[in-house]
Amino acid sequence: MDVISQALALALDPFVLLVVVISAAFGMFVGAMPGLTATMAVALLVPVTFFMDPVPALAAIVTASSMAIFAGDIPGALLRMPGTPASAAYVGETYLMGQRGQVNLALGTTLVASALGGLVGVAALILAAPMLAEVALKFTSFEYFWLASLGLSCAVFISSTNPLKGFLSLLVGLALCTIGIDPTAGVPRFTFGNVDLMGGISFIPAMIGLFAISEILRGVMRLRSKTPPPLAQTGGIFTSVLPLLGRHKFNVLRGSVLGTCIGALPGAGADIAAWIAYAVSKRFSKTPEKFGTGHVEGVVDATSANNSAVAGSWIPALVFGIPGDSLTAVVIGVLYMKGMNPGPMVFLNNPQLIYAVFIIFIIANLVMLPLGWAAIRLARPILRVPKRMLLPVILVFCIVGAFAMTNSVFGVILMLALGLLGWIFEENDFPVAPIILGLVLGPMFEQTFLTSMIKSDGSFLAFFERPIAGVLGVATLLVWGVVLFRGIQRLLSGTPAQPDGPVTPANQGADHR
């Protein structure tokens, strides 16, 4: 009881609360800037934490990371530009909702579901951290291979109405992943002597190009045509969301649990959690045909998952000192810097500090609600800015974001090239989301496959010999089998695959543009 009292005193200190508020505003700003990730928000805060005690230093990191993950949804819903990679999975849904005059509903849903998902993740962190960390540590390259395979299968589910086009887009994403240095042989691959290509295709410029530049090109093409004025935004940010989340409470719980478990896996993180949660939501939805048309159900699952994964990624970091993602890698460095060496002993030597961090997690997720509400209100007038003024400004932000991640002009060129590719794809009804999925999971898929083959001396049976790997492998093969069976069944019955193609901004009605 004394430990809890000490932790409360540390977490509720006025200076710590002030740090939480300032860090929240900073994280909200960085997350809303396309190309600037939650990891970058935390990295920028590290020099400031040198001058702080452990609790306010960790409070700044916890709060900024949680806010940045949510804030990435704001430019996604308004401009179809995901602020962080964790928002890319459902950016199409929230953008289409915004075009229908439902920005308040879209962003209100991501705000409240993010806060709830974060609280579930914190509960898991407090109650089950040692147990979940034990399970996570049993994952070897075999389990990660099947996890990546299962994640790549999501391309079929997130591809709206035409799985074949989604699969082809996924192959493009996987092909782009092969550019750079071979992970096992260490030799350049498809670089054509270009030094910049040796680093591979950077994910952030690719994401900005595929989503934002393609949207800018589409906007330029429409400048001369008479477009209808933006629809008036209806409903309050919270009033319309609470009844909706009441109907989708199971989705919030499912997405949060899934996100926590994926976040606890070292090397996974919020991006993969959001993709898998969105695909699972569509697979088990009663109305899967609505996905890709501005449907909120998948948004609830995915946005709950990416924020709960933030807390989940702290589980292996605190219990074993193993980073769950790039963000907790920075966190571990700060913990060492403050003399809180992560591992089982930190719970014995400094329990009051650990419990204070848990309390700050809860405060950060609660503070997200009023600050998120204010951020949405401030950002919403963007929809009323004329396209002729807005498009050049967006282009400048895109260039700044791409340059900031690569620190070279090559990142800008890469962004523009992939933006053109994304525009061509969408004009021909090919979805671009599977390309992003391939870029996210492709490196893990290749590296774990090659590592496992080396370990097993070329035996494929080794992929099923470990209990968790066996379960994941059978589940993945079942998913593939069901998809193939339905495709063959449709072919034999003579039913056209999907007459209308996938739902992309290019084939939306004029009112949705």
Side-chain angles (χ1 to χ4, degrees):
M1 198 63 190
D2 286 343
V3 172
I4 301 295
S5 302
Q6 292 174 30
L8 279 171
L10 288 170
L12 299 179
D13 182 86
F15 178 69
V16 174
L17 295 178
L18 180 64
V19 168
V20 166
V21 173
I22 294 174
S23 305
F26 174 75
M28 198 72 77
F29 173 76
V30 174
M33 299 292 289
L36 303 185
T37 63
T39 305
M40 181 172 284
V42 171
L44 290 173
L45 279 176
V46 169
V48 181
T49 61
F50 286 156
F51 309 100
M52 295 181 181
D53 291 332
V55 173
L58 292 171
I61 290 174
V62 166
T63 310
S65 58
S66 298
M67 297 298 156
I69 294 289
F70 157 69
D73 299 338
I74 296 176
L78 297 176
L79 305 170
R80 198 168 174 257
M81 297 166 58
T84 62
S87 304
Y90 49 92
V91 66
E93 302 282 10
T94 54
Y95 178 72
L96 291 175
M97 290 175 71
Q99 296 299 294
R100 288 204 302 259
Q102 296 179 328
V103 162
N104 286 342
L105 181 64
L107 288 178
T109 300
T110 61
L111 173 61
V112 180
S114 292
L116 292 174
L119 290 173
V120 172
V122 176
L125 179 63
I126 296 171
L127 300 175
M131 184 186 69
L132 286 175
E134 286 283 356
V135 175
L137 284 182
K138 289 181 181 174
F139 271 59
T140 64
S141 59
F142 297 104
E143 286 81 7
Y144 277 110
F145 168 75
W146 286 119
L147 187 70
S149 303
L150 200 57
L152 289 173
S153 309
C154 297
V156 175
F157 301 117
I158 63 176
S159 299
S160 191
T161 56
N162 196 323
L164 181 59
K165 288 187 175 180
F167 180 66
L168 292 175
S169 293
L170 178 67
L171 290 183
V172 172
L174 291 174
L176 289 173
C177 283
T178 61
I179 297 173
I181 301 294
D182 186 303
T184 51
V187 296
R189 227 171 26 182
F190 307 119
T191 59
F192 307 104
N194 188 313
V195 177
D196 290 316
L197 284 176
M198 287 187 182
I201 301 298
S202 182
F203 173 67
I204 299 294
M207 184 187 72
I208 296 174
L210 287 168
F211 282 112
I213 297 297
S214 63
E215 190 63 27
I216 290 173
L217 288 173
R218 199 171 298 111
V220 171
M221 302 291 282
R222 293 188 216 124
L223 277 180
R224 291 184 180 278
S225 61
K226 185 175 287 186
T227 55
L231 296 175
Q233 301 302 315
T234 58
I237 293 173
F238 291 128
T239 52
S240 54
V241 168
L242 296 179
L244 182 143
L245 289 180
R247 291 196 299 275
H248 293 294
K249 52 184 177 293
F250 177 71
N251 299 69
V252 175
L253 182 63
R254 181 175 60 191
S256 303
V257 172
L258 194 59
T260 305
C261 294
I262 294 174
L265 299 174
D271 314 349
I272 297 175
W275 284 106
I276 293 181
Y278 181 82
V280 168
S281 178
K282 183 176 180 183
R283 175 64 185 84
F284 294 102
S285 172
K286 293 178 181 175
T287 55
E289 71 281 359
K290 291 184 178 178
F291 280 65
T293 63
H295 187 47
V296 77
E297 188 175 355
V299 177
V300 174
D301 276 87
T303 194
S304 304
N306 61 20
N307 241 51
S308 62
V310 173
S313 64
W314 279 65
I315 293 172
L318 282 179
V319 178
F320 294 105
I322 298 174
D325 55 10
S326 55
L327 195 150
T328 45
V330 179
V331 168
I332 287 175
V334 174
L335 288 172
Y336 275 112
M337 190 174 68
K338 297 298 178 187
M340 295 172 61
N341 298 355
M345 293 307 292
V346 76
F347 287 86
L348 298 175
N349 295 335
N350 297 299
Q352 72 281 5
L353 296 182
I354 295 299
Y355 282 106
V357 172
F358 293 161
I359 294 168
I360 289 166
F361 255 115
I362 296 171
I363 294 172
N365 281 288
L366 295 177
V367 167
M368 185 189 297
L369 293 173
L371 280 180
W373 175 83
I376 295 169
R377 300 264 304 176
L378 288 172
R380 208 171 43 191
I382 289 175
L383 288 175
R384 293 198 292 272
V385 178
K387 292 284 184 186
R388 289 179 185 280
M389 297 172 62
L390 188 60
L391 293 177
V393 176
I394 296 173
L395 181 60
V396 170
F397 277 117
C398 292
I399 292 172
V400 170
F403 186 84
M405 287 308 296
T406 59
N407 203 26
S408 74
V409 179
F410 175 73
V412 180
I413 297 171
L414 179 66
M415 175 195 71
L416 295 173
L418 287 175
L420 182 62
L421 177 71
W423 177 73
I424 293 171
F425 263 55
E426 290 192 330
E427 287 299 306
N428 290 282
D429 298 336
F430 281 83
V432 296
I435 300 178
I436 299 293
L437 187 63
L439 284 169
V440 171
L441 289 174
M444 180 194 286
F445 179 76
E446 180 186 8
Q447 194 156 5
T448 53
F449 176 73
L450 292 175
T451 305
S452 301
M453 289 299 285
I454 292 170
K455 281 182 183 174
S456 64
D457 201 18
S459 171
F460 286 101
L461 287 177
F463 285 78
F464 297 92
E465 288 176 349
R466 295 169 58 82
I468 299 176
V471 172
L472 286 172
V474 170
T476 306
L477 293 179
L478 279 175
V479 169
W480 292 351
V482 168
V483 171
L484 279 175
F485 175 74
R486 287 183 178 174
I488 294 171
Q489 196 177 35
R490 191 182 298 119
L491 195 66
L492 293 177
S493 65
T495 307
Q498 299 296 337
D500 296 326
V503 179
T504 66
N507 63 16
Q508 290 296 305
D511 288 345
H512 291 174
R513 296 179 181 183

